[in-house]
Amino acid sequence: MLSLLGSPAWASETSGPGEEPVQQRLLFRVVAPPGVVLDQATAMVERPDGRRIPVRLSDDGTEPGDLSWDGVYVGYSTGLFARYLPVELSVTFPGEARMVVHSGIERIEDASSAALTWRLVDLDGAWYARRTSSTSVGFEEPVNELVGLAASLSWALFLAAYISWLLVRRRADP
Amino acid sequence: MNRPWAQNGVTLALYAVIACAWTWPLITDPTGLSVSPQFDAYSLIWLLDEAPRLGWDMVSHGSAWPIGHGLVRVDSFLALAAAISLRGLVDPVLMASSMALLGPILSAWAAERFAAHSLSVAWPWSLIAGLCYGFSGLMATALLEGHYYAMVTPWLPLLAMATLLATGPRARPIHGVAMAVLWTLCLLTTAYCGLAASLLVLGLSVRAPRRLLRQPVLLAGGLMLVAGVGFTWLYLQGDGASGDTLSSAVTTSRILEAGSASVADLALVSPDAELIGHSISPVLGWTCLLLFLTAPLVLKNRPHTRTLVILAVVVLVISMGPVVEIAGHRLPWILAPLTRMDWASAFRFPVRLMPVAYLCMGSVAAAAASALAARAPLLAAPLLLATVVDCFLGVGLPARTARLPLDVPSAYRELPPQGGMLELLPYFTANDVDDALFMRNLACSYQRSHHKPLTHACLGTSVSDSPGRALNDYVIEVCLDDSDQQRVQLRKWLVAMGISHVSLRPLLFPSNDRDPLHGCLEELAGEPHATSSDGGEMVVIYELIEPMDWDASGDHALYHAVFMEFL
């Protein structure tokens, strides 16, 4: 999956002296809307050593942790610790040309591993990818929010019942 | 466990364990790790490193070179004073980490003491007050945003205690003095904490209007007036720019809304909290909230309870800002009139008043738990556990913390301290202000390694209209313009301004611009002086002039004059 496309001249001899480089594993995910199938999805990332690495994102269940054909395209990249990464996401719909749906600098919050997730959005025929929380994969966003809210309200209801019981007991106690 | 020292020992130990787990993995490497996914921890580290070098004029010559950067509008004078008084003896990263680790412990302990002392809440139920206040959603926000100094707020509960004493029947002048000192400490911690403290004092004082004209309160009022006027005077001496914001009703409304607590935020952390805005997550905590709601049923005739309940509700309402959204409907809220006033955009974060709500709710909740547990303590014991669960699951810590090493890229390590450093940063649009601040603050935090003055101003939320930014943009413009004549002139300008090095972080720039920028800088300065890809980013440094020993004071005036001419 990883391939070295080449480094610019100024990017050679760039590792820090006498130090073991920190390896960082990054998970890239693109969530397609229900019913939308992609021929190809690729994240082109640039590591701090100047390497441009195309990460192929697949949905056939071959990548660790990927459920096949669930609309979540997954790929991994491992390399030098990056505090931020230039990322260009491109997708290809069946029978259509490749289109870039996102290009920008992504901040990374973990030196050893992190997940970056985008959701494909159709804006009147123009597709773009929007960064989203990594925890909301696999659900439509409103559903995901409802799951969180339901869990929170369940906890609240449980506590309310318990406190009410304490209250009733207190009143019943002579 | 009835002995006070044992109770205090267990309280502190419990809060310390929770603080370590809450801020995990900070305790594993407090001198080399940041747990904040946002960008203000970097500017705090810069400030703590720079503070010992400040003179009485409060102008930093390590930032906004060669003009200098007045720091009288610094966020926390207390953090600044701590760094100045330690005179560089403590590593700035360790100092910042200590604030994040010790802040919640001290704040929680103070709130626990307030509940125990002022509301007569029995131990261990008083622990609930500390948990609700010291490990609140807003404290988590301060941790994640990197405002570690805002986590050190034991002053607020102690101020509440002093205010109740000063306005109580057995008030003494010392209570008034304590009140003024603690209010000033709040103000020096952050301006928002000072505002919150003012609301607290106001709310607690009005309950006893007849005692307001007695000596302790008058003494407190006089001292607070002096401190407040002094602070305001100092603040007005600073630069006017406080953000890349426009003054219009729409913008003011947008700013206030973004910095307010929404109904959803009070219930649970948004999964996207770290992606949008500033990790704002003022979750109330269900245990604390439900116990607070039972207070009218179980705390009849308990002194101060009614005042604290009203105060909590009032502050909560204010912190919800100008608009409340319920089930998709937007309703104008209490701060809506402010959106028609341009100056109100300066009051960016109404949510930061919420510590008062947490304190009042937490202490009332603790009193309610104590009342519920009066007859059957063991049956009520799970309330303590539930409050701890809320501290973690409710605010989402430590799952939301970052794990970022604070190593400085090796390219910076061997640079001589003489001569200024221009950190080239790309253009940012108004929508990318956070990215711009991240890049600038990160570059500023590296100064603790190379100690070279930077052309960018390292504090403040304005990134588009500073003199350093003008120079930065001019260099990029000339480099991308491909005009040899302009480049020769540019080199003369930079050298005349005393700038000895230019740093480029190529991956921040669009790929089409990188080679022209490198080519231009090589033309100005020759081959790169140092290059590295460790520390999480690629850095290429160019040396414009050989570092020289110069009379800083004499040359500095010349550099300043040249820079002003350039502007």
Side-chain angles (χ1 to χ4, degrees), chain A residues 10 14 16 19 46-48 81-84 86 105 107 109-111 132-133 148 152 155-156 159 162 167 169-170, chain B residues 42 268 271-272 275 286-287 298 371 379-380 382 390 402-403 405 413 435 507 514-515 518 532-538:
Chain A
W10 38 263
T14 54
E19 288 177 12
E46 290 180 79
R47 285 287 183 176
F81 158 53
R83 217 173 270 283
Y84 54 82
I105 304 250
R107 282 186 263 157
E109 297 166 5
D110 196 307
T132 184
S133 145
S152 178
W155 170 239
L159 282 173
Y162 169 57
L167 208 56
R169 247 191 83 85
R170 181 177 181 270
Chain B
Y42 298 120
L268 76 165
D272 290 339
L275 292 179
W286 286 114
T287 317
V298 295
L379 289 177
D390 275 343
R403 288 150 178 79
R413 290 185 203 155
D435 283 336
L507 298 192
R514 292 177 200 163
D515 283 335
H518 280 291
S532 68
S533 58
D534 55 353
E537 58 177 337
M538 175 185 283

Side-chain angles (χ1 to χ4, degrees), chain A residues 8 10-17 19 22 46-52 80-86 105 107-112 117 130-136 141 144-145 148-149 152-153 155-157 159-160 162-163 165-167 169-171 173-174, chain B residues 37-39 42 267-268 271-272 274-275 286-287 290-291 294 297-298 300 371-372 375-376 379-383 386 389-390 400 402-407 410 413 434-435 438-439 442 446 505-508 511 514-515 518 531-538 540:
Chain A
W10 38 263
S12 57
E13 305 285 335
T14 54
S15 52
E19 288 177 12
V22 179
E46 290 180 79
R47 285 287 183 176
D49 53 9
R51 290 187 305 153
R52 281 171 62 83
L80 270 183
F81 158 53
R83 217 173 270 283
Y84 54 82
L85 282 176
I105 304 250
R107 282 186 263 157
I108 315 289
E109 297 166 5
D110 196 307
S112 56
T117 307
R130 181 166 58 80
R131 255 311 278 283
T132 184
S133 145
S134 297
T135 54
S136 58
E141 266 173 307
N144 181 63
E145 279 178 18
L149 191 62
S152 178
L153 288 178
W155 170 239
L157 280 174
L159 282 173
Y162 169 57
I163 291 172
W165 176 72
L166 286 176
L167 208 56
R169 247 191 83 85
R170 181 177 181 270
R171 289 201 167 168
D173 247 359
Chain B
Q38 305 296 346
F39 43 81
Y42 298 120
L268 76 165
D272 290 339
E274 268 64 66
L275 292 179
W286 286 114
T287 317
L290 291 170
L291 284 171
T294 59
L297 301 173
V298 295
K300 286 171 186 159
L372 283 173
R375 302 263 168 80
L379 289 177
L383 286 174
V389 168
D390 275 343
R400 295 167 66 201
R403 288 150 178 79
L404 290 169
L406 288 168
D407 304 334
S410 53
R413 290 185 203 155
D434 285 357
D435 283 336
F438 166 70
M439 305 307 172
L442 183 62
Y446 294 153
R505 293 134 96 192
L507 298 192
L508 291 178
S511 51
R514 292 177 200 163
D515 283 335
H518 280 291
T531 308
S532 68
S533 58
D534 55 353
E537 58 177 337
M538 175 185 283
V540 185

Side-chain angles (χ1 to χ4, degrees), chain B residues 250-332:
Chain B
V250 174
T251 315
T252 305
S253 174
R254 194 165 57 86
I255 291 168
L256 288 179
E257 268 186 66
S260 300
S262 71
V263 176
D265 286 342
L266 298 175
L268 76 165
V269 179
S270 160
D272 290 339
E274 268 64 66
L275 292 179
I276 47 173
H278 296 252
S279 293
I280 293 176
S281 52
V283 179
L284 286 177
W286 286 114
T287 317
C288 185
L289 179 64
L290 291 170
L291 284 171
F292 175 76
L293 293 175
T294 59
L297 301 173
V298 295
L299 295 178
K300 286 171 186 159
N301 303 322
R302 183 78 80 100
H304 312 314
T305 308
R306 187 185 296 175
T307 311
L308 291 173
V309 168
I310 294 170
L311 192 52
V313 173
V314 167
V315 172
L316 197 59
V317 167
I318 294 174
S319 66
M320 292 170 83
V323 173
V324 161
E325 195 170 326
I326 299 172
H329 299 285
R330 289 165 59 82
L331 309 171

